[in-house]
Amino acid sequence: MSYPKAHDLNCLTIGELEALATQRMDKLTRDYYNEGADSGSTLAENISAYQKYRIRPRVLRDISSIDTSVNIFGHKNSIPLGVAPTAMQCLAHPDGEHATARACKKMDIVMGLSSFSTSTIEEVKESLGTEHPAALQLYLFEEREQSRKMIQRAKKAGYKAVLLTVDTPLLGRRNLEIRNQFKLPKHLRVANFTLGQNNNQMDSIEEKDVELNTSTAGSGAGHDSSSKRAPPTGSITFHSHAPNPTLTWDRDIEWLKQECYPEMEVWVKGIATAEDALLACQHRVDGIIVSNHGGRQLNGALATLDALPEVVDAVRSQPNRVPVHVDGGIRHGTDVFKALALGADFVWVGRPVLWGLAYKGEEGVELCLKLLSDEFKLCMGLAGVTKVEDIGKEYLVKIDRSGFVSRL
Ligand SMILES: Cc1cc2nc3c(=O)[nH]c(=O)nc-3n(C[C@H](O)[C@H](O)[C@H](O)COP(=O)(O)O)c2cc1C
Ligand SMILES: CC(C)CC(=O)C(=O)O
């Protein structure tokens, strides 16, 4: 018997990957990527929530053949994990989203692409290849024509789904970002909205956008409680356009489905309650991602793993049961196992992939995905499970602060 595979002896865990990446990123990027909103307590709890559960391993079950694969968007994915959409990946590495795409392709792992990517929808799909599944994360703009164009481009490029981000009616308050007056360096662009589309110069993040973040004027979160906001105009920037306080279930989800069907599925990303999960089912979305945006939006919100059971229960009470995914705080293969045992069908991972990218570009992302894959497979085997669909709550116990253990 040999030691478990070591892909990089300098980096055997996601924790080590974070440390290595942290040394390599400039302060602006590191702060932008790593921080959560306000005190960061929701970001921290997304991670620590996994420690409330312990695994109940079963033995003597012949685990000599383990199948970690699942289906997503009609494709086989090597493990029940995808790369969450995260903005502006060229900040971490010059190859940015292309490096992520190539690593995803190699690892048979679905990729979520942010609307605010530093490479275009079409370019990234080319790096993924025609067969490989991808989902476009959508910030649905008030300027609906821009969103319609994005959707059409994604369809044409072969994206399988749109993940509508619903937890950004306003932008969360990220203090380091504000203190650093974060903006995209001049040599980078938010590629989907730059020259070439519509012959319309839509700039990347400029000085005035920083103003929007610090004063929150225009984002609807100004201090004047009676002020009425005006819809954003001019350049498309993340501060001005990503948050959209006008979105509603009735008007916008229905509109989006009409625009996307039949080529692309419509998912909502950012559900955190049973009530909204029920509405998502009633509006017949194709899937739900339980997410609090990696703790970057409403600080004080429940950790996603803690929100997951109520969402799963709500969805299971419905006749049209849709898949439930979760993201936030996943840093080890055992976390993937725990999320699935609590009823998730699939998980998405954000920051660890960015750390991989910052560490070694494509190779670093691949390393990140390999670590999580290896850990997940090992966890399945040691827990006595050979098929993903067999992972259930009987494999977990909850442990409270005083060490009291209870069955689920
Ligand atoms: C730097 C950064 C940028 C992000 N950009 C987006 C984005 O453009 N759209 C979006 O829906 N979510 C975005 N997210 C949230 C992720 O999709 C995901 O919900 C979150 O990162 C999961 O938490 P984790 O980082 O703990 O894995 C971003 C997260 C980070 C850290
Ligand atoms: C607002 C974005 C463009 C990026 C984002 O979602 C994030 O920074 O969390």
Side-chain angles (χ1 to χ4, degrees), residues 137-140 164-172 174 219 241-247 269-270 293 296-297:
Q137 175 273 330
L138 196 72
Y139 283 117
L140 195 48
L164 176 68
T165 297
V166 294
D167 55 15
T168 52
L170 306 167
L171 211 55
R174 301 143 191 196
S219 69
H241 282 68
N244 183 347
T246 71
L247 296 181
K269 172 177 181 286
H293 216 103
R296 295 162 74 80
Q297 284 295 106

Short mmCIF file of all heavy atoms in Angstrom, two decimals, residues 137-140 164-172 174 219 241-247 269-270 293 296-297:
data_model
loop_
_atom_site.label_atom_id
_atom_site.label_comp_id
_atom_site.label_asym_id
_atom_site.label_seq_id
_atom_site.Cartn_x
_atom_site.Cartn_y
_atom_site.Cartn_z
N GLN A 137 -23.28 32.61 -14.82
CA GLN A 137 -23.90 33.33 -13.70
C GLN A 137 -24.39 34.67 -14.25
O GLN A 137 -23.67 35.36 -14.96
CB GLN A 137 -22.85 33.54 -12.59
CG GLN A 137 -23.34 34.39 -11.43
CD GLN A 137 -23.15 35.87 -11.66
OE1 GLN A 137 -22.21 36.28 -12.36
NE2 GLN A 137 -24.03 36.69 -11.10
N LEU A 138 -25.60 34.99 -13.90
CA LEU A 138 -26.19 36.22 -14.45
C LEU A 138 -26.52 37.21 -13.36
O LEU A 138 -27.18 36.87 -12.37
CB LEU A 138 -27.47 35.86 -15.22
CG LEU A 138 -27.98 36.95 -16.15
CD1 LEU A 138 -27.10 37.09 -17.39
CD2 LEU A 138 -29.41 36.64 -16.59
N TYR A 139 -26.05 38.43 -13.54
CA TYR A 139 -26.61 39.57 -12.81
C TYR A 139 -27.61 40.19 -13.77
O TYR A 139 -27.21 40.68 -14.83
CB TYR A 139 -25.51 40.58 -12.45
CG TYR A 139 -24.66 40.14 -11.29
CD1 TYR A 139 -23.31 39.90 -11.42
CD2 TYR A 139 -25.24 39.98 -10.03
CE1 TYR A 139 -22.55 39.50 -10.33
CE2 TYR A 139 -24.48 39.59 -8.94
CZ TYR A 139 -23.14 39.35 -9.11
OH TYR A 139 -22.39 38.96 -8.03
N LEU A 140 -28.86 40.09 -13.43
CA LEU A 140 -29.90 40.60 -14.33
C LEU A 140 -29.99 42.11 -14.16
O LEU A 140 -30.38 42.61 -13.10
CB LEU A 140 -31.22 39.91 -13.98
CG LEU A 140 -32.37 40.01 -14.97
CD1 LEU A 140 -31.93 39.70 -16.38
CD2 LEU A 140 -33.48 39.05 -14.55
N LEU A 164 -29.00 32.60 -11.95
CA LEU A 164 -29.36 33.99 -11.62
C LEU A 164 -29.01 34.26 -10.16
O LEU A 164 -29.53 33.60 -9.25
CB LEU A 164 -30.86 34.22 -11.84
CG LEU A 164 -31.33 35.62 -11.43
CD1 LEU A 164 -30.75 36.70 -12.35
CD2 LEU A 164 -32.84 35.71 -11.38
N THR A 165 -28.15 35.22 -9.96
CA THR A 165 -27.77 35.57 -8.58
C THR A 165 -28.86 36.44 -7.98
O THR A 165 -29.21 37.49 -8.53
CB THR A 165 -26.40 36.29 -8.58
OG1 THR A 165 -25.44 35.36 -9.09
CG2 THR A 165 -26.00 36.71 -7.18
N VAL A 166 -29.41 35.96 -6.86
CA VAL A 166 -30.57 36.66 -6.28
C VAL A 166 -30.27 37.26 -4.91
O VAL A 166 -31.16 37.82 -4.28
CB VAL A 166 -31.79 35.70 -6.20
CG1 VAL A 166 -32.27 35.32 -7.59
CG2 VAL A 166 -31.48 34.45 -5.38
N ASP A 167 -29.01 37.16 -4.48
CA ASP A 167 -28.70 37.70 -3.15
C ASP A 167 -27.97 39.05 -3.23
O ASP A 167 -27.33 39.47 -2.27
CB ASP A 167 -27.88 36.69 -2.33
CG ASP A 167 -26.60 36.23 -3.02
OD1 ASP A 167 -26.19 36.87 -4.01
OD2 ASP A 167 -26.02 35.23 -2.58
N THR A 168 -28.11 39.72 -4.37
CA THR A 168 -27.45 41.02 -4.52
C THR A 168 -28.44 42.13 -4.92
O THR A 168 -28.22 42.82 -5.92
CB THR A 168 -26.32 40.94 -5.57
OG1 THR A 168 -26.87 40.36 -6.78
CG2 THR A 168 -25.15 40.14 -5.12
N PRO A 169 -29.55 42.29 -4.16
CA PRO A 169 -30.40 43.44 -4.47
C PRO A 169 -29.62 44.74 -4.22
O PRO A 169 -29.87 45.76 -4.87
CB PRO A 169 -31.58 43.29 -3.50
CG PRO A 169 -31.07 42.46 -2.38
CD PRO A 169 -30.04 41.55 -2.99
N LEU A 170 -28.68 44.66 -3.30
CA LEU A 170 -27.73 45.74 -3.02
C LEU A 170 -26.38 45.05 -2.86
O LEU A 170 -26.34 43.85 -2.59
CB LEU A 170 -28.08 46.45 -1.71
CG LEU A 170 -29.51 46.99 -1.59
CD1 LEU A 170 -29.80 47.38 -0.15
CD2 LEU A 170 -29.69 48.18 -2.52
N LEU A 171 -25.32 45.82 -2.96
CA LEU A 171 -24.01 45.22 -2.76
C LEU A 171 -23.65 45.24 -1.28
O LEU A 171 -23.85 46.26 -0.61
CB LEU A 171 -22.97 46.00 -3.58
CG LEU A 171 -21.79 45.20 -4.11
CD1 LEU A 171 -22.23 44.00 -4.93
CD2 LEU A 171 -20.91 46.10 -4.97
N GLY A 172 -23.17 44.11 -0.77
CA GLY A 172 -22.75 44.05 0.63
C GLY A 172 -21.60 45.00 0.90
O GLY A 172 -20.90 45.44 -0.02
N ARG A 174 -18.11 45.62 2.01
CA ARG A 174 -16.81 44.93 2.20
C ARG A 174 -15.78 45.99 2.54
O ARG A 174 -15.36 46.77 1.68
CB ARG A 174 -16.44 44.17 0.95
CG ARG A 174 -17.51 43.12 0.58
CD ARG A 174 -17.70 43.01 -0.87
NE ARG A 174 -18.87 42.21 -1.23
CZ ARG A 174 -19.07 41.73 -2.44
NH1 ARG A 174 -18.20 41.94 -3.39
NH2 ARG A 174 -20.17 41.06 -2.70
N SER A 219 -26.83 52.68 -5.55
CA SER A 219 -27.06 51.26 -5.35
C SER A 219 -28.30 51.04 -4.50
O SER A 219 -28.66 49.92 -4.20
CB SER A 219 -25.86 50.60 -4.67
OG SER A 219 -25.77 51.05 -3.35
N HIS A 241 -23.93 48.07 -11.67
CA HIS A 241 -24.90 47.22 -12.34
C HIS A 241 -25.16 45.86 -11.70
O HIS A 241 -26.23 45.29 -11.90
CB HIS A 241 -24.48 47.00 -13.80
CG HIS A 241 -24.80 48.16 -14.69
ND1 HIS A 241 -24.16 49.37 -14.58
CD2 HIS A 241 -25.70 48.30 -15.69
CE1 HIS A 241 -24.65 50.21 -15.48
NE2 HIS A 241 -25.58 49.58 -16.17
N ALA A 242 -24.18 45.31 -10.98
CA ALA A 242 -24.42 43.97 -10.40
C ALA A 242 -25.61 43.98 -9.44
O ALA A 242 -26.50 43.15 -9.55
CB ALA A 242 -23.16 43.43 -9.74
N PRO A 243 -25.65 44.92 -8.51
CA PRO A 243 -26.83 44.92 -7.63
C PRO A 243 -28.05 45.44 -8.37
O PRO A 243 -27.96 46.40 -9.13
CB PRO A 243 -26.43 45.88 -6.50
CG PRO A 243 -25.34 46.72 -7.02
CD PRO A 243 -24.69 45.98 -8.15
N ASN A 244 -29.15 44.76 -8.19
CA ASN A 244 -30.40 45.21 -8.82
C ASN A 244 -31.54 45.06 -7.81
O ASN A 244 -32.03 43.95 -7.59
CB ASN A 244 -30.67 44.39 -10.08
CG ASN A 244 -31.92 44.87 -10.80
OD1 ASN A 244 -32.71 45.64 -10.25
ND2 ASN A 244 -32.11 44.39 -12.02
N PRO A 245 -31.95 46.18 -7.20
CA PRO A 245 -32.95 46.10 -6.15
C PRO A 245 -34.37 45.91 -6.66
O PRO A 245 -35.30 45.75 -5.86
CB PRO A 245 -32.81 47.46 -5.44
CG PRO A 245 -32.30 48.37 -6.49
CD PRO A 245 -31.44 47.55 -7.41
N THR A 246 -34.56 45.89 -7.99
CA THR A 246 -35.93 45.85 -8.51
C THR A 246 -36.44 44.44 -8.80
O THR A 246 -37.60 44.26 -9.13
CB THR A 246 -36.04 46.66 -9.83
OG1 THR A 246 -35.34 45.93 -10.87
CG2 THR A 246 -35.44 48.05 -9.70
N LEU A 247 -35.56 43.44 -8.70
CA LEU A 247 -35.94 42.11 -9.17
C LEU A 247 -37.08 41.50 -8.34
O LEU A 247 -37.13 41.66 -7.12
CB LEU A 247 -34.74 41.16 -9.13
CG LEU A 247 -33.57 41.51 -10.05
CD1 LEU A 247 -32.45 40.47 -9.91
CD2 LEU A 247 -34.01 41.61 -11.50
N LYS A 269 -29.46 31.38 -7.61
CA LYS A 269 -28.28 31.24 -6.74
C LYS A 269 -28.37 32.29 -5.65
O LYS A 269 -28.37 33.50 -5.95
CB LYS A 269 -27.01 31.45 -7.57
CG LYS A 269 -25.72 31.51 -6.76
CD LYS A 269 -24.52 31.66 -7.69
CE LYS A 269 -23.21 31.70 -6.96
NZ LYS A 269 -22.93 32.95 -6.25
N GLY A 270 -28.48 31.81 -4.39
CA GLY A 270 -28.57 32.78 -3.30
C GLY A 270 -29.81 32.59 -2.46
O GLY A 270 -30.28 33.51 -1.81
N HIS A 293 -23.41 33.98 -0.98
CA HIS A 293 -22.40 34.69 -1.75
C HIS A 293 -21.03 34.63 -1.04
O HIS A 293 -20.26 35.58 -1.06
CB HIS A 293 -22.83 36.16 -1.94
CG HIS A 293 -22.46 36.76 -3.25
ND1 HIS A 293 -23.35 36.94 -4.27
CD2 HIS A 293 -21.28 37.25 -3.72
CE1 HIS A 293 -22.74 37.52 -5.30
NE2 HIS A 293 -21.48 37.69 -4.99
N ARG A 296 -20.31 37.40 1.54
CA ARG A 296 -19.91 38.73 1.04
C ARG A 296 -21.08 39.70 0.94
O ARG A 296 -20.90 40.84 0.54
CB ARG A 296 -19.27 38.57 -0.35
CG ARG A 296 -18.00 37.80 -0.33
CD ARG A 296 -17.61 37.27 -1.70
NE ARG A 296 -17.12 38.28 -2.61
CZ ARG A 296 -15.88 38.76 -2.60
NH1 ARG A 296 -15.03 38.34 -1.70
NH2 ARG A 296 -15.49 39.64 -3.49
N GLN A 297 -22.27 39.22 1.26
CA GLN A 297 -23.43 40.09 1.12
C GLN A 297 -24.00 40.46 2.51
O GLN A 297 -23.58 41.40 3.10
CB GLN A 297 -24.46 39.39 0.21
CG GLN A 297 -24.05 39.46 -1.26
CD GLN A 297 -24.05 40.90 -1.74
OE1 GLN A 297 -23.00 41.51 -1.93
NE2 GLN A 297 -25.23 41.49 -1.89
#
